[in-house]
Amino acid sequence: MGLFLEWLVSTFGEDFYGLLKVLETLDAVLDVGGVYDPSRDRYDHHQKGFHEVFGHGFTTKLSSAGLVYKV
């Protein structure tokens, strides 16, 4: 994921809309994009108001990997 992000930044720089267009073409997106939508395989936990937790008494917010695991 880190290498892909480096490629995106080097390719698109500050062209945020170009980056979003690339993200929309992917089958799944983790940890970028600002969207949590399992029905579209989008797993980013970087949004205001995000409070998804694993459950079963755990109260720690999930990372992107935790969101995928939970599905």
Side-chain angles (χ1 to χ4, degrees):
M1 184 66 178
L3 291 174
F4 179 69
L5 289 175
E6 282 186 30
W7 173 81
L8 285 175
V9 170
S10 67
T11 302
F12 295 99
E14 294 184 23
D15 180 10
F16 183 71
Y17 295 105
L19 173 62
L20 289 179
K21 288 179 185 176
V22 170
L23 293 178
E24 286 301 317
T25 67
L26 301 175
D27 293 334
V29 178
L30 284 77
D31 213 31
V32 295
V35 176
Y36 171 54
D37 184 356
S39 68
R40 294 178 41 225
D41 287 326
R42 301 297 188 256
Y43 304 97
D44 191 3
H45 62 114
H46 297 106
Q47 307 118 47
K48 291 182 180 181
F50 181 81
H51 300 290
E52 189 73 29
V53 296
F54 187 71
H56 307 289
F58 295 98
T59 58
T60 304
K61 293 181 187 177
L62 292 175
S63 66
S64 296
L67 294 174
V68 172
Y69 178 80
K70 189 174 178 180
V71 172

